Amino acid sequence: MTISGYLSEHWGLLVVLAGMAILLFSDKQLDRRMTSQILITNIMQFLYSITCYMETYLGNQEEFTILRSILSAANYSLIGFVLVSIIMIMFPNQKKMLYIPAVVNAVLSFISIPTGIVFYFTEDNHFQRGPLGLLSYFINGLYLLYLLICLFRQQKYEREDYLVLLFVVLTSIMCMIMPLKLQSFSDHWFNITIATDVLIYYVFLLQQFTKRDSLTRLLNRQSYYSDSQKYLSSITSVVAIDMDGLKEINDNEGHLAGDKALKTLADCFGRAAQRGHRVYRIGGDEYVILCIGSSESDVQALIKRIRDEVAKTAYTCSVGYAMNTDKSTIDALYNRADEMLYEEKQQFYERTGKLRRRH
């Protein structure tokens, strides 16, 4: 058991963990809670790599020592806490009760040292499962199932984003299942897989900052331009939306109140949107929805859902749309939708007597 042996076995993992630490140190985008959670995960993985290496070394010895039991209990415990930490990274608004199964698993693992309830070692140093020998796998399986459920309940991402998230979840599941199927699949592979998945998710988060509006978390103007070209042949309609009375809110209540109004409306549009609807904030109080493969009745149903959602708030908005019946350019569709929106907005200002914001 040497440092060079450890480095030889875990070099790839250490490079990933060290690289993540450097990235997090220089990161200005993620909030402190998120960066702290990622660092905690990295530290646990580093500790897990050390305990795995030491336990493997002791497992190759002829005589059993109590230290091997302690290291095995630590290994069983750390896997659960690593999985909890990953869930906390991907879905931050979790309750502390999420830790309970991992704590139970850790307590029983360490109780197993004198009792053998989860695992024990024979006098000739062979590993044996106790009555609760599959407990750790069961608990970790529940965590991974919960991770999948959270993923598919998530509403704030686009379809292509889910491919990245699904990859992270499925590879995490595989590295839990493979040791049960292949004896050559060591704990080291679990560690490097999880570390790589955390790195992929970190890159994914940074990607979200480049494609989404920082206030509303809707797709931003640059994404609108990019998607206008990417989905050009599939876009059947453009919906233009403009908030009513933002200038008055900013003037009378302040820009924080205006930001709250913009975020509230964005949430309404996000709830109203369904499959094939991509929602953007393209600037100020202006929003656009690109409808892909939607019929006119689908678009009208979308607009009705928007109005119903907005009606639950203290705000109003004007809406216009244009169908792509003549293979028009996106700019032409947007201009036609904006003309319909403008007529509705004129009626709003005539009805309320409020000042129209000048562009």
Side-chain angles (χ1 to χ4, degrees):
M1 185 167 60
T2 62
I3 294 178
S4 62
Y6 169 78
L7 292 176
S8 175
E9 185 173 331
H10 295 281
W11 179 255
L13 171 70
L14 295 176
V15 168
V16 172
L17 295 181
M20 277 294 299
I22 293 171
L23 288 172
L24 291 171
F25 179 77
S26 60
D27 186 88
K28 303 300 181 185
Q29 299 288 344
L30 298 184
D31 59 65
R32 177 178 248 178
R33 191 213 62 81
M34 177 69 76
T35 56
S36 297
Q37 194 70 52
I38 294 175
L39 283 173
I40 290 171
T41 307
N42 288 351
I43 291 170
M44 286 193 293
Q45 289 185 269
F46 174 65
L47 293 175
Y48 182 70
S49 70
I50 295 175
T51 56
C52 282
Y53 178 71
M54 294 174 65
E55 195 275 331
T56 300
Y57 172 80
L58 293 176
N60 292 327
Q61 307 304 305
E62 293 183 1
E63 295 184 0
F64 166 74
T65 62
I66 191 64
L67 179 59
R68 189 182 180 197
S69 289
I70 296 172
L71 292 171
S72 294
N75 290 342
Y76 273 103
S77 303
L78 282 169
I79 292 175
F81 285 112
V82 167
L83 292 178
V84 173
S85 192
I86 289 174
I87 295 173
M88 299 291 284
I89 290 170
M90 295 183 67
F91 306 100
N93 299 321
Q94 301 292 323
K95 296 181 178 179
K96 298 300 182 182
M97 291 177 60
L98 188 66
Y99 283 97
I100 292 177
V103 172
V104 171
N105 177 58
V107 170
L108 289 176
S109 294
F110 279 95
I111 288 177
S112 188
I113 296 174
T115 66
I117 192 171
V118 177
F119 65 88
Y120 62 93
F121 296 96
T122 61
E123 291 182 0
D124 55 355
N125 205 22
H126 285 126
F127 173 86
Q128 298 291 329
R129 296 189 190 281
L132 299 180
L134 296 178
L135 174 69
S136 179
Y137 289 98
F138 176 74
I139 289 177
N140 295 334
L142 289 179
Y143 278 132
L144 291 171
L145 178 62
Y146 181 70
L147 189 58
L148 269 176
I149 292 172
C150 289
L151 173 61
F152 286 106
R153 289 176 59 188
Q154 188 69 264
Q155 300 292 321
K156 65 179 181 179
Y157 295 121
E158 308 303 320
R159 185 193 297 183
E160 64 272 17
D161 296 331
Y162 283 98
L163 293 176
V164 178
L165 298 175
L166 193 59
F167 174 84
V168 169
V169 174
L170 290 181
T171 49
S172 298
I173 291 174
M174 286 179 63
C175 72
M176 290 297 303
I177 295 175
M178 293 301 284
L180 295 175
K181 300 295 183 182
L182 299 175
Q183 291 184 347
S184 60
F185 199 92
S186 68
D187 292 332
H188 166 64
W189 292 107
F190 165 82
N191 222 0
I192 189 63
T193 300
I194 295 299
T196 304
D197 283 343
V198 171
L199 177 59
I200 291 171
Y201 186 70
Y202 175 74
V203 173
F204 169 80
L205 289 177
L206 295 183
Q207 184 187 57
Q208 293 298 302
F209 282 106
T210 66
K211 66 188 290 185
R212 294 188 179 276
D213 172 60
S214 58
L215 173 64
T216 64
R217 304 310 299 159
L218 296 179
L219 294 168
N220 60 23
R221 190 183 190 93
Q222 184 58 45
S223 294
Y224 170 71
Y225 289 140
S226 175
D227 290 349
S228 296
Q229 298 302 313
K230 180 179 179 180
Y231 299 105
L232 181 61
S233 61
S234 305
I235 294 172
T236 55
S237 178
V238 171
V239 178
I241 311 171
D242 201 293
M243 180 182 175
D244 298 328
L246 178 63
K247 181 180 187 304
E248 185 175 68
I249 293 175
N250 284 334
D251 290 347
N252 296 338
E253 302 177 46
H255 286 277
L256 288 179
D259 287 348
K260 178 183 176 183
L262 292 169
K263 179 68 170 64
T264 300
L265 288 185
D267 292 341
C268 292
F269 306 150
R271 288 191 294 270
Q274 294 181 349
R275 183 175 180 180
H277 302 149
R278 299 179 70 86
V279 189
Y280 309 82
R281 181 191 178 203
I282 60 173
D285 56 0
E286 301 171 52
Y287 303 85
V288 175
I289 301 177
L290 296 181
C291 300
I292 300 171
S294 301
S295 65
E296 186 162 9
S297 61
D298 293 333
V299 175
Q300 290 174 345
L302 166 64
I303 294 174
K304 183 180 184 305
R305 289 195 300 273
I306 289 173
R307 295 193 191 282
D308 289 344
E309 289 290 339
V310 174
K312 300 173 186 177
T313 73
Y315 314 108
T316 61
C317 64
S318 299
V319 185
Y321 76 95
M323 299 301 300
N324 191 9
T325 57
D326 53 358
K327 300 298 181 183
S328 299
T329 65
I330 296 300
D331 287 344
L333 286 173
Y334 176 79
N335 288 335
R336 295 211 305 267
D338 195 50
E339 288 175 5
M340 181 187 291
L341 178 154
Y342 182 82
E343 292 176 3
E344 185 173 308
K345 186 168 284 289
Q346 281 293 100
Q347 295 173 9
F348 166 79
Y349 285 111
E350 290 172 4
R351 184 175 65 253
T352 62
K354 294 181 178 179
L355 296 175
R356 179 172 176 81
R357 179 176 59 83
R358 297 186 179 278
H359 294 277

